[in-house]
């Protein structure tokens, strides 16, 4: 992979940091990596040859990667073929999601020599924690699709803190929350800073919505059916009926995955962690049990500052999600939809509300309005 050792020389010259005391990190182009992940990222950059029908999942750490892996793998498996596995086999019961959907810089290009992926059947499904700017050019240039998942930063941090604490002995106890929080706020952790990671993908997804689907953990939690249907349609594998969606959601649920033998007893060979560490509570707003009010306020401020003007909202969304859970009311999609459709003349939010309110009244204000717009030549074609 690196016969002349040039990657090591590059690594030696990079700024150094650490997370959780003893996890060494190096910084390159604004992002922090474990040295072996950066070596693999460099190999991946040189060797990975994306195909037009590849699907690449992407995420910062602890934002729902394994849930997304399970969902996409199952969606693709329904259509059978390729390396995804045979239809109707309960493959999630056999292996952890990260076995089926390998992370390029953690589980593929850490092999030396780099593996030859050309023999894999299409469609191939991979995952990456790499920031958009560090992706191989072939991913950016090919027609392959990407799905990015993110989560509100407070739950992301708390999930990360719990995860890395499972590596510590009872004598060591939990790593000081304040220190871990400081690192998170400064962006010094694997594949951090969080906000730069999220914004890179968010901006690309706005530019290329046909190529990158941007999902939020909270949306998936609150309204899994709509989100999973959206995901399947984006991947070109829409569902035939509602039952199929519901079954797939059940099969990929935290409750089920957590209780599968393979995930209860297995160990992740790549990082020597029990698979059970990947399945914890999955609760939106769990940060309330861990963060002090000052920490919460500080992270909210950083979030508002970093996301200002981007059109992306990770704080309100999470709060709203918690408050509206089970109410059937959706305020964030409406808001996101408004941002995306601004100035297009198209209104999907108020139209939907109007239709709901006028149901059974015999009156149709939405279609009438669209008809008028079309006849006047001011609306969507
Ligand atoms: P990774 O970055 O190490 O791959 P990732 O899967 O992104 O981890 O995130 C783990 C979080 O997703 C955990 O959240 P928590 O600590 O707040 O509980 C984990 O519980 C949650 N998670 C894992 N699988 C699922 C699932 N099927 N449904 C919902 N949440 C899940």
């Amino acid at each position: 992979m690196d016969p002349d050792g040039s990657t090591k020389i590059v690594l030696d010259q990079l700024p150094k940091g650490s997370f959780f005391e003893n996890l060494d990190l190096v910084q390159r182009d604004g992002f922090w990596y474990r040295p072996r992940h950066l070596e693999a990222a460099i190999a991946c950059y040189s060797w990975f040859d994306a195909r037009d029908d590849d699907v690449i999942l992407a995420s910062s750490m602890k934002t729902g990667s394994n849930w997304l892996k399970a969902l996409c793998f199952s969606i693709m498996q329904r259509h059978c073929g390729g390396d995804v596995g045979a239809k109707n086999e309960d493959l999630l019961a056999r292996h952890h999601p990260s076995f089926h959907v390998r992370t390029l810089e953690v589980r593929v290009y850490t092999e030396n020599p780099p593996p030859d992926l050309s023999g894999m059947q299409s469609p191939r499904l991979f995952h990456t924690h790499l920031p958009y700017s560090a992706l191989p050019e072939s991913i950016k240039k090919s027609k392959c699709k990407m799905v990015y998942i993110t989560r509100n930063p407070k739950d992301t941090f708390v999930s990360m803190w719990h995860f890395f604490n499972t590596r510590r002995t009872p004598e060591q106890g939990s790593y000081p929350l304040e220190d871990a929080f400081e690192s998170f706020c400064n962006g010094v952790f694997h594949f951090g800073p969080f906000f730069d990671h999220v914004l890179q993908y968010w901006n690309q997804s706005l530019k290329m919505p046909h190529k990158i689907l941007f999902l939020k953990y909270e949306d998936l939690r609150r309204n899994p059916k709509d989100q999973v249907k959206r995901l399947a349609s984006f991947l070109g594998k829409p569902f035939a009926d509602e039952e199929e969606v519901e079954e797939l959601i059940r099969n990929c649920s935290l409750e089920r995955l957590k209780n599968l033998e393979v995930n209860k007893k297995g160990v992740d060979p790549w990082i020597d962690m029990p698979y059970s560490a990947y399945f914890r509570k999955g609760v939106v707003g769990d940060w309330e049990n861990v963060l002090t009010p000052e920490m919460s306020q500080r992270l909210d401020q950083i979030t508002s500052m970093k996301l200002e003007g981007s059109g992306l909202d990770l704080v309100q969304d999470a709060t709203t999600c918690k408050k509206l859970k089970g109410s059937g009311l959706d305020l964030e999609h409406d808001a996101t939809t408004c941002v995306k459709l601004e100035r297009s003349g198209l209104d999907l939010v108020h139209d939907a509300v109007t239709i709901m309110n006028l149901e059974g009244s015999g009156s149709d204000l939405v279609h009438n309005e669209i008809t008028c717009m079309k006849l006047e030549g001011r609306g969507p074609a």
Side-chain angles (χ1 to χ4, degrees):
M1 175 158 69
D2 180 26
D4 60 358
S6 54
T7 310
K8 183 158 185 341
I9 296 167
V10 171
L11 254 55
D12 285 344
Q13 292 165 351
L14 295 175
K16 312 265 180 301
S18 67
F19 184 57
F20 258 61
E21 210 160 49
N22 57 357
L23 299 171
D24 296 339
L25 298 170
V26 286
Q27 190 190 37
R28 191 191 205 206
D29 297 334
F31 286 91
W32 290 97
Y33 303 85
R34 297 302 315 274
R36 68 194 156 97
H37 294 158
L38 180 57
E39 271 184 282
I42 293 169
C44 177
Y45 190 88
S46 312
W47 295 92
F48 186 71
D49 195 11
R51 295 179 190 159
D52 286 343
D53 57 2
D54 281 344
V55 175
I56 315 284
L57 314 181
S59 57
S60 190
M61 276 207 315
K62 302 295 153 202
T63 57
S65 333
N66 282 289
W67 193 10
L68 183 65
K69 285 178 188 180
L71 288 169
C72 289
F73 176 73
S74 306
I75 289 171
M76 312 254 305
Q77 194 198 346
R78 276 166 49 241
H79 286 249
C80 200
D83 275 314
V84 167
K87 208 175 177 170
N88 298 332
E89 261 188 281
D90 188 3
L91 295 173
L92 289 177
R94 280 215 228 140
H95 297 286
H96 185 271
S98 59
F99 173 92
H100 297 299
V101 187
R102 289 179 295 158
T103 300
L104 289 168
E105 69 288 351
V106 178
R107 296 176 165 87
V108 180
Y109 287 97
T110 35
E111 279 180 36
N112 195 357
D116 177 9
L117 304 177
S118 62
M120 280 177 80
Q121 284 179 41
S122 289
R124 303 181 305 179
L125 181 57
F126 295 104
H127 168 260
T128 184
H129 280 310
L130 293 177
Y132 187 84
S133 52
L135 291 179
E137 287 304 311
S138 72
I139 294 186
K140 296 180 186 169
K141 288 189 178 139
S142 73
K143 293 200 179 90
C144 75
K145 291 195 171 176
M146 299 198 72
V147 183
Y148 185 78
I149 187 161
T150 191
R151 185 178 192 184
N152 84 73
K154 292 193 277 192
D155 284 337
T156 302
F157 164 70
V158 167
S159 180
M160 199 180 288
W161 184 67
H162 282 294
F163 180 81
F164 285 106
N165 273 330
T166 59
R167 300 172 69 111
R168 293 169 68 87
T169 61
E171 295 72 47
Q172 285 176 315
S174 297
Y175 185 71
L177 181 70
E178 299 70 24
D179 296 354
F181 183 73
E182 204 53 39
S183 295
F184 186 82
C185 290
N186 293 330
V188 188
F189 62 95
H190 313 41
F191 310 103
F194 175 83
F195 296 99
D196 296 358
H197 201 285
V198 174
L199 280 174
Q200 282 194 351
Y201 281 97
W202 169 250
N203 289 331
Q204 293 300 327
S205 77
L206 292 180
K207 268 194 228 157
M208 300 179 288
H210 52 282
K211 184 174 175 74
I212 305 180
L213 178 69
F214 192 95
L215 297 178
K216 293 183 197 164
Y217 185 91
E218 291 76 19
D219 289 346
L220 261 172
R221 259 304 190 205
R222 183 191 42 210
N223 195 346
K225 240 165 116 180
D226 282 357
Q227 292 299 308
V228 169
K229 281 197 228 169
R230 189 174 159 226
L231 176 59
S233 299
F234 177 78
L235 296 176
K237 321 255 181 244
F239 288 96
D241 57 57
E242 296 290 305
E243 256 174 55
E244 215 189 347
V245 196
E246 284 163 12
E247 189 186 344
L248 189 137
I249 291 171
R250 263 196 312 278
N251 282 341
C252 298
S253 68
L254 177 60
E255 296 65 33
R256 174 169 187 264
L257 296 184
K258 193 177 186 162
N259 289 304
L260 289 170
E261 281 305 292
V262 61
N263 298 328
K264 279 206 287 197
K265 303 212 172 119
V267 172
D268 184 341
W270 285 281
I271 56 170
D272 196 25
M273 289 277 281
Y275 278 142
S276 57
Y278 290 90
F279 307 100
R280 201 180 61 91
K281 282 163 90 178
V283 167
V284 175
D286 188 43
W287 60 265
E288 277 178 341
N289 298 315
V290 176
L291 299 189
T292 63
E294 293 72 32
M295 286 173 167
S296 162
Q297 209 181 3
R298 177 163 166 218
L299 199 40
D300 281 350
Q301 273 166 1
I302 297 176
T303 307
S304 307
M305 206 179 73
K306 296 275 182 185
L307 299 185
E308 200 186 333
S310 69
L312 180 64
D313 182 350
L314 297 179
V315 177
Q316 285 309 325
D317 286 6
T319 315
T320 316
C321 171
K322 252 187 84 176
K323 296 211 169 141
L324 296 184
K325 202 173 160 196
S327 72
L329 188 61
D330 179 348
L331 297 181
E332 277 117 50
H333 275 110
D334 294 1
T336 312
T337 311
C338 287
V339 171
K340 292 207 175 159
L341 297 183
E342 206 179 37
R343 290 187 292 275
S344 72
L346 186 61
D347 178 351
L348 297 179
V349 175
H350 294 106
D351 291 1
V353 176
T354 312
I355 287 172
M356 226 172 70
N357 288 343
L358 295 183
E359 206 179 48
S361 72
S363 164
D364 178 349
L365 296 181
V366 173
H367 294 106
N368 291 349
E369 161 72 356
I370 293 175
T371 311
C372 290
M373 276 162 69
K374 284 200 181 165
L375 294 181
E376 272 176 29
R378 63 185 165 95

